[in-house]
Amino acid sequence: VDVFSTNEYIIKEGDVGDRFYILSAGEVAVTHEAPPGEAEKQIEQLYPGSFFGLRALLSDEKRTANIVALSDCECFTMSRHAFESTVGTLSDCMKRHFVEQEMLKEESRIKMDELQWIETLGIGIFGRV
């Protein structure tokens, strides 16, 4: 568990992403950098149970936003290595998703002659169910 103080940056926009975070206590703001002399723009507020830092781990992109503690916070964190060992890489996730989608397609290919009438549940405007 990592602890962050109020107004502390947990993630800085543009940094290399090497950790995944799950907010366990406190609140954080998601902000974008602003031109010099202007305040950062808050785009979202996250609460316990929210997670962040995933995109950078999956796609090797740099961080696309700031995460700033609005109060004292605690986060469960996972390094890139631990994340990939547990969850897998993006290609692993995509392969699992593709296999799951194919299985769902197979299950949904039921032909009418494979169905058996048991009883009528009701009759309505559009027919019998």
Side-chain angles (χ1 to χ4, degrees):
V1 174
D2 288 343
V3 177
F4 301 94
S5 301
T6 304
N7 296 322
E8 184 177 352
Y9 280 79
I10 300 170
I11 290 178
K12 289 282 284 178
E13 188 171 348
D15 285 353
V16 174
D18 60 353
R19 297 195 80 69
F20 173 69
Y21 300 82
I22 301 172
L23 185 61
S24 59
E27 297 177 6
V28 299
V30 181
T31 67
H32 275 299
E33 296 290 335
E38 293 184 29
E40 291 180 354
K41 180 179 178 184
Q42 182 173 327
I43 55 174
E44 192 172 358
Q45 190 165 330
L46 303 177
Y47 303 93
S50 300
F51 61 89
F52 49 92
L54 181 63
R55 179 185 297 176
L57 290 186
L58 292 177
S59 65
D60 288 326
E61 293 177 17
K62 292 190 178 208
R63 301 292 191 184
T64 58
N66 298 309
I67 305 291
V68 184
L70 294 176
S71 61
D72 290 345
C73 295
E74 290 182 1
C75 294
F76 298 114
T77 63
M78 187 179 286
S79 69
R80 175 185 295 276
H81 176 74
F83 182 87
E84 288 177 352
S85 297
T86 305
V87 179
T89 62
L90 178 59
S91 61
D92 295 336
C93 293
M94 289 175 66
K95 285 176 191 171
R96 279 196 304 271
H97 178 72
F98 179 75
V99 168
E100 289 170 2
Q101 291 302 313
E102 287 300 310
M103 289 173 61
L104 287 173
K105 284 180 189 175
E106 288 297 320
E107 291 174 6
S108 66
R109 292 186 184 144
I110 298 172
K111 296 177 180 80
M112 288 300 289
D113 61 355
E114 295 175 335
L115 300 175
Q116 179 183 14
W117 180 81
I118 297 174
E119 73 179 84
T120 300
L121 296 175
I123 301 173
I125 295 173
F126 296 106
R128 184 181 304 251
V129 180

Short mmCIF file of all heavy atoms in Angstrom, two decimals, residues 35-78:
data_model
loop_
_atom_site.label_atom_id
_atom_site.label_comp_id
_atom_site.label_asym_id
_atom_site.label_seq_id
_atom_site.Cartn_x
_atom_site.Cartn_y
_atom_site.Cartn_z
N PRO A 35 -1.87 25.50 -20.15
CA PRO A 35 -0.79 26.41 -20.58
C PRO A 35 -0.23 27.17 -19.37
O PRO A 35 -0.93 27.34 -18.36
CB PRO A 35 -1.50 27.37 -21.54
CG PRO A 35 -2.72 26.64 -22.00
CD PRO A 35 -3.12 25.76 -20.85
N PRO A 36 1.00 27.63 -19.46
CA PRO A 36 1.62 28.37 -18.34
C PRO A 36 0.72 29.53 -17.89
O PRO A 36 0.13 30.24 -18.70
CB PRO A 36 2.92 28.90 -18.94
CG PRO A 36 3.23 27.96 -20.07
CD PRO A 36 1.91 27.52 -20.61
N GLY A 37 0.59 29.65 -16.57
CA GLY A 37 -0.22 30.72 -16.00
C GLY A 37 -1.67 30.35 -15.79
O GLY A 37 -2.42 31.09 -15.18
N GLU A 38 -2.09 29.19 -16.31
CA GLU A 38 -3.48 28.75 -16.13
C GLU A 38 -3.51 27.54 -15.20
O GLU A 38 -2.55 26.79 -15.10
CB GLU A 38 -4.10 28.37 -17.47
CG GLU A 38 -4.30 29.54 -18.41
CD GLU A 38 -5.00 29.12 -19.69
OE1 GLU A 38 -5.79 28.16 -19.66
OE2 GLU A 38 -4.75 29.77 -20.73
N ALA A 39 -4.65 27.38 -14.53
CA ALA A 39 -4.81 26.25 -13.62
C ALA A 39 -5.08 24.98 -14.42
O ALA A 39 -5.65 25.02 -15.50
CB ALA A 39 -5.98 26.52 -12.67
N GLU A 40 -4.64 23.85 -13.85
CA GLU A 40 -4.94 22.57 -14.48
C GLU A 40 -6.45 22.38 -14.53
O GLU A 40 -7.17 22.84 -13.65
CB GLU A 40 -4.32 21.42 -13.68
CG GLU A 40 -2.84 21.37 -13.74
CD GLU A 40 -2.26 20.22 -12.94
OE1 GLU A 40 -3.02 19.52 -12.23
OE2 GLU A 40 -1.04 20.04 -12.99
N LYS A 41 -6.91 21.67 -15.55
CA LYS A 41 -8.34 21.43 -15.71
C LYS A 41 -8.69 20.07 -15.12
O LYS A 41 -8.14 19.04 -15.52
CB LYS A 41 -8.71 21.45 -17.19
CG LYS A 41 -10.18 21.22 -17.44
CD LYS A 41 -10.50 21.26 -18.91
CE LYS A 41 -11.98 20.97 -19.10
NZ LYS A 41 -12.35 20.92 -20.50
N GLN A 42 -9.58 20.05 -14.11
CA GLN A 42 -10.02 18.79 -13.52
C GLN A 42 -11.08 18.18 -14.43
O GLN A 42 -12.06 18.83 -14.77
CB GLN A 42 -10.59 18.99 -12.11
CG GLN A 42 -11.01 17.68 -11.47
CD GLN A 42 -11.43 17.82 -10.02
OE1 GLN A 42 -10.90 18.65 -9.30
NE2 GLN A 42 -12.37 16.99 -9.61
N ILE A 43 -10.86 16.92 -14.82
CA ILE A 43 -11.82 16.26 -15.71
C ILE A 43 -12.63 15.18 -15.01
O ILE A 43 -13.68 14.78 -15.52
CB ILE A 43 -11.12 15.68 -16.95
CG1 ILE A 43 -9.99 14.75 -16.57
CG2 ILE A 43 -10.62 16.79 -17.85
CD1 ILE A 43 -9.34 14.03 -17.73
N GLU A 44 -12.17 14.74 -13.86
CA GLU A 44 -12.90 13.70 -13.14
C GLU A 44 -12.41 13.64 -11.70
O GLU A 44 -11.30 14.07 -11.39
CB GLU A 44 -12.69 12.35 -13.82
CG GLU A 44 -13.62 11.27 -13.36
CD GLU A 44 -13.52 10.00 -14.19
OE1 GLU A 44 -12.77 9.95 -15.17
OE2 GLU A 44 -14.21 9.04 -13.83
N GLN A 45 -13.25 13.07 -10.84
CA GLN A 45 -12.86 12.83 -9.45
C GLN A 45 -13.08 11.35 -9.18
O GLN A 45 -14.11 10.79 -9.58
CB GLN A 45 -13.71 13.69 -8.52
CG GLN A 45 -13.21 13.68 -7.10
CD GLN A 45 -13.83 14.80 -6.27
OE1 GLN A 45 -14.15 15.85 -6.80
NE2 GLN A 45 -13.97 14.57 -4.99
N LEU A 46 -12.12 10.71 -8.54
CA LEU A 46 -12.21 9.28 -8.27
C LEU A 46 -12.30 9.02 -6.77
O LEU A 46 -11.74 9.78 -5.97
CB LEU A 46 -10.98 8.57 -8.85
CG LEU A 46 -10.73 8.75 -10.35
CD1 LEU A 46 -9.44 8.05 -10.76
CD2 LEU A 46 -11.90 8.24 -11.17
N TYR A 47 -12.97 7.93 -6.43
CA TYR A 47 -13.24 7.57 -5.04
C TYR A 47 -12.72 6.16 -4.77
O TYR A 47 -12.38 5.43 -5.70
CB TYR A 47 -14.75 7.65 -4.78
CG TYR A 47 -15.31 9.01 -5.10
CD1 TYR A 47 -15.85 9.30 -6.35
CD2 TYR A 47 -15.27 10.03 -4.15
CE1 TYR A 47 -16.35 10.56 -6.64
CE2 TYR A 47 -15.76 11.29 -4.43
CZ TYR A 47 -16.30 11.56 -5.68
OH TYR A 47 -16.78 12.81 -5.96
N PRO A 48 -12.71 5.73 -3.49
CA PRO A 48 -12.23 4.38 -3.17
C PRO A 48 -12.92 3.33 -4.04
O PRO A 48 -14.12 3.38 -4.29
CB PRO A 48 -12.60 4.23 -1.69
CG PRO A 48 -12.50 5.62 -1.16
CD PRO A 48 -13.06 6.48 -2.28
N GLY A 49 -12.10 2.40 -4.53
CA GLY A 49 -12.58 1.36 -5.44
C GLY A 49 -12.23 1.67 -6.89
O GLY A 49 -12.23 0.79 -7.73
N SER A 50 -11.93 2.95 -7.18
CA SER A 50 -11.55 3.33 -8.54
C SER A 50 -10.12 2.89 -8.80
O SER A 50 -9.32 2.75 -7.88
CB SER A 50 -11.63 4.84 -8.72
OG SER A 50 -12.94 5.31 -8.49
N PHE A 51 -9.80 2.68 -10.07
CA PHE A 51 -8.42 2.33 -10.42
C PHE A 51 -7.93 3.26 -11.52
O PHE A 51 -8.72 3.86 -12.24
CB PHE A 51 -8.31 0.86 -10.84
CG PHE A 51 -9.14 0.50 -12.05
CD1 PHE A 51 -8.60 0.63 -13.32
CD2 PHE A 51 -10.43 0.02 -11.90
CE1 PHE A 51 -9.35 0.29 -14.43
CE2 PHE A 51 -11.19 -0.32 -13.00
CZ PHE A 51 -10.64 -0.19 -14.28
N PHE A 52 -6.62 3.38 -11.64
CA PHE A 52 -6.03 4.23 -12.66
C PHE A 52 -4.62 3.75 -12.96
O PHE A 52 -4.04 2.99 -12.21
CB PHE A 52 -6.04 5.71 -12.25
CG PHE A 52 -5.53 5.99 -10.86
CD1 PHE A 52 -4.19 6.29 -10.64
CD2 PHE A 52 -6.39 5.95 -9.77
CE1 PHE A 52 -3.72 6.55 -9.36
CE2 PHE A 52 -5.93 6.21 -8.48
CZ PHE A 52 -4.59 6.51 -8.28
N GLY A 53 -4.09 4.19 -14.11
CA GLY A 53 -2.76 3.80 -14.53
C GLY A 53 -2.73 2.60 -15.44
O GLY A 53 -1.66 2.11 -15.81
N LEU A 54 -3.88 2.12 -15.85
CA LEU A 54 -3.97 0.91 -16.66
C LEU A 54 -3.50 1.12 -18.09
O LEU A 54 -2.75 0.32 -18.64
CB LEU A 54 -5.41 0.39 -16.64
CG LEU A 54 -5.69 -0.89 -17.40
CD1 LEU A 54 -4.91 -2.04 -16.81
CD2 LEU A 54 -7.18 -1.20 -17.37
N ARG A 55 -3.93 2.21 -18.72
CA ARG A 55 -3.62 2.43 -20.15
C ARG A 55 -2.12 2.39 -20.42
O ARG A 55 -1.68 1.77 -21.38
CB ARG A 55 -4.19 3.76 -20.62
CG ARG A 55 -3.88 4.03 -22.09
CD ARG A 55 -4.32 5.38 -22.53
NE ARG A 55 -5.76 5.50 -22.42
CZ ARG A 55 -6.41 6.61 -22.68
NH1 ARG A 55 -5.77 7.70 -23.04
NH2 ARG A 55 -7.72 6.65 -22.57
N ALA A 56 -1.35 3.04 -19.58
CA ALA A 56 0.10 3.09 -19.79
C ALA A 56 0.73 1.70 -19.69
O ALA A 56 1.69 1.40 -20.40
CB ALA A 56 0.75 4.05 -18.79
N LEU A 57 0.17 0.85 -18.83
CA LEU A 57 0.72 -0.51 -18.72
C LEU A 57 0.36 -1.36 -19.91
O LEU A 57 1.15 -2.18 -20.37
CB LEU A 57 0.21 -1.19 -17.44
CG LEU A 57 0.74 -0.65 -16.12
CD1 LEU A 57 0.24 -1.53 -14.97
CD2 LEU A 57 2.23 -0.57 -16.10
N LEU A 58 -0.85 -1.18 -20.43
CA LEU A 58 -1.29 -2.02 -21.54
C LEU A 58 -0.72 -1.59 -22.87
O LEU A 58 -0.49 -2.41 -23.76
CB LEU A 58 -2.83 -2.02 -21.62
CG LEU A 58 -3.55 -2.72 -20.48
CD1 LEU A 58 -5.05 -2.60 -20.65
CD2 LEU A 58 -3.15 -4.19 -20.39
N SER A 59 -0.49 -0.29 -23.06
CA SER A 59 -0.12 0.19 -24.39
C SER A 59 1.27 0.81 -24.46
O SER A 59 1.67 1.27 -25.53
CB SER A 59 -1.14 1.22 -24.85
OG SER A 59 -1.09 2.36 -24.01
N ASP A 60 2.00 0.86 -23.37
CA ASP A 60 3.31 1.50 -23.32
C ASP A 60 3.27 2.99 -23.67
O ASP A 60 4.27 3.58 -24.03
CB ASP A 60 4.31 0.79 -24.25
CG ASP A 60 4.73 -0.56 -23.69
OD1 ASP A 60 4.81 -0.69 -22.45
OD2 ASP A 60 4.96 -1.48 -24.48
N GLU A 61 2.08 3.61 -23.59
CA GLU A 61 1.96 5.06 -23.79
C GLU A 61 2.47 5.76 -22.53
O GLU A 61 2.48 5.19 -21.45
CB GLU A 61 0.50 5.48 -23.96
CG GLU A 61 -0.16 4.98 -25.21
CD GLU A 61 -1.64 5.39 -25.24
OE1 GLU A 61 -2.05 6.30 -24.49
OE2 GLU A 61 -2.38 4.78 -26.02
N LYS A 62 2.83 7.02 -22.70
CA LYS A 62 3.15 7.83 -21.52
C LYS A 62 1.83 8.18 -20.83
O LYS A 62 0.76 8.08 -21.42
CB LYS A 62 3.91 9.08 -21.93
CG LYS A 62 5.30 8.73 -22.45
CD LYS A 62 6.14 9.95 -22.63
CE LYS A 62 7.51 9.49 -23.11
NZ LYS A 62 8.56 10.36 -22.74
N ARG A 63 1.91 8.60 -19.58
CA ARG A 63 0.72 8.96 -18.82
C ARG A 63 -0.02 10.09 -19.54
O ARG A 63 0.60 11.06 -19.98
CB ARG A 63 1.09 9.40 -17.40
CG ARG A 63 1.82 8.34 -16.60
CD ARG A 63 0.94 7.18 -16.25
NE ARG A 63 1.59 6.32 -15.26
CZ ARG A 63 1.07 5.19 -14.84
NH1 ARG A 63 -0.08 4.78 -15.29
NH2 ARG A 63 1.71 4.47 -13.95
N THR A 64 -1.34 9.96 -19.64
CA THR A 64 -2.14 10.93 -20.39
C THR A 64 -2.85 11.94 -19.51
O THR A 64 -3.56 12.80 -20.00
CB THR A 64 -3.18 10.21 -21.26
OG1 THR A 64 -4.02 9.41 -20.42
CG2 THR A 64 -2.51 9.32 -22.30
N ALA A 65 -2.68 11.85 -18.20
CA ALA A 65 -3.30 12.78 -17.27
C ALA A 65 -2.54 12.78 -15.95
O ALA A 65 -1.72 11.90 -15.70
CB ALA A 65 -4.76 12.40 -17.02
N ASN A 66 -2.82 13.77 -15.14
CA ASN A 66 -2.30 13.82 -13.77
C ASN A 66 -3.32 13.17 -12.85
O ASN A 66 -4.52 13.27 -13.08
CB ASN A 66 -2.13 15.27 -13.31
CG ASN A 66 -1.13 16.02 -14.15
OD1 ASN A 66 -0.02 15.58 -14.37
ND2 ASN A 66 -1.53 17.19 -14.63
N ILE A 67 -2.83 12.58 -11.78
CA ILE A 67 -3.68 12.11 -10.69
C ILE A 67 -3.15 12.81 -9.44
O ILE A 67 -1.99 12.63 -9.06
CB ILE A 67 -3.63 10.59 -10.50
CG1 ILE A 67 -3.98 9.84 -11.79
CG2 ILE A 67 -4.54 10.16 -9.34
CD1 ILE A 67 -5.43 9.97 -12.23
N VAL A 68 -4.02 13.63 -8.82
CA VAL A 68 -3.61 14.44 -7.68
C VAL A 68 -4.48 14.08 -6.48
O VAL A 68 -5.72 14.04 -6.59
CB VAL A 68 -3.77 15.95 -7.99
CG1 VAL A 68 -3.25 16.79 -6.85
CG2 VAL A 68 -3.08 16.32 -9.29
N ALA A 69 -3.87 13.86 -5.34
CA ALA A 69 -4.61 13.53 -4.12
C ALA A 69 -5.39 14.76 -3.65
O ALA A 69 -4.81 15.83 -3.46
CB ALA A 69 -3.66 13.05 -3.04
N LEU A 70 -6.70 14.60 -3.48
CA LEU A 70 -7.54 15.67 -2.94
C LEU A 70 -7.61 15.60 -1.41
O LEU A 70 -8.01 16.56 -0.76
CB LEU A 70 -8.95 15.59 -3.52
CG LEU A 70 -9.06 15.85 -5.02
CD1 LEU A 70 -10.50 15.63 -5.48
CD2 LEU A 70 -8.60 17.25 -5.36
N SER A 71 -7.24 14.45 -0.89
CA SER A 71 -7.18 14.24 0.56
C SER A 71 -6.05 13.22 0.77
O SER A 71 -5.46 12.74 -0.19
CB SER A 71 -8.52 13.68 1.07
OG SER A 71 -8.80 12.43 0.46
N ASP A 72 -5.74 12.92 2.01
CA ASP A 72 -4.76 11.86 2.26
C ASP A 72 -5.33 10.57 1.66
O ASP A 72 -6.51 10.25 1.86
CB ASP A 72 -4.51 11.70 3.75
CG ASP A 72 -3.75 12.89 4.33
OD1 ASP A 72 -3.20 13.69 3.55
OD2 ASP A 72 -3.73 13.01 5.57
N CYS A 73 -4.50 9.86 0.90
CA CYS A 73 -4.97 8.69 0.15
C CYS A 73 -4.10 7.47 0.40
O CYS A 73 -2.91 7.61 0.70
CB CYS A 73 -4.93 8.97 -1.35
SG CYS A 73 -6.02 10.25 -1.92
N GLU A 74 -4.71 6.33 0.21
CA GLU A 74 -3.98 5.06 0.19
C GLU A 74 -4.34 4.36 -1.10
O GLU A 74 -5.50 4.34 -1.51
CB GLU A 74 -4.39 4.17 1.36
CG GLU A 74 -3.92 4.66 2.71
CD GLU A 74 -4.30 3.71 3.84
OE1 GLU A 74 -4.93 2.65 3.57
OE2 GLU A 74 -3.96 4.02 4.98
N CYS A 75 -3.33 3.78 -1.75
CA CYS A 75 -3.54 3.05 -2.99
C CYS A 75 -2.84 1.70 -2.93
O CYS A 75 -1.69 1.62 -2.47
CB CYS A 75 -2.96 3.81 -4.18
SG CYS A 75 -3.77 5.36 -4.56
N PHE A 76 -3.53 0.68 -3.37
CA PHE A 76 -2.87 -0.59 -3.64
C PHE A 76 -2.17 -0.39 -4.98
O PHE A 76 -2.77 0.13 -5.91
CB PHE A 76 -3.87 -1.73 -3.74
CG PHE A 76 -4.65 -1.97 -2.48
CD1 PHE A 76 -6.01 -1.74 -2.43
CD2 PHE A 76 -4.01 -2.43 -1.33
CE1 PHE A 76 -6.72 -1.95 -1.27
CE2 PHE A 76 -4.72 -2.65 -0.16
CZ PHE A 76 -6.09 -2.42 -0.14
N THR A 77 -0.92 -0.77 -5.08
CA THR A 77 -0.19 -0.58 -6.33
C THR A 77 0.38 -1.90 -6.82
O THR A 77 0.61 -2.83 -6.02
CB THR A 77 0.95 0.44 -6.17
OG1 THR A 77 1.89 -0.07 -5.24
CG2 THR A 77 0.44 1.78 -5.70
N MET A 78 0.58 -1.95 -8.13
CA MET A 78 1.14 -3.15 -8.74
C MET A 78 2.14 -2.70 -9.81
O MET A 78 1.81 -1.87 -10.65
CB MET A 78 0.01 -3.97 -9.36
CG MET A 78 0.44 -5.32 -9.88
SD MET A 78 -0.94 -6.28 -10.60
CE MET A 78 -1.80 -6.78 -9.13
#
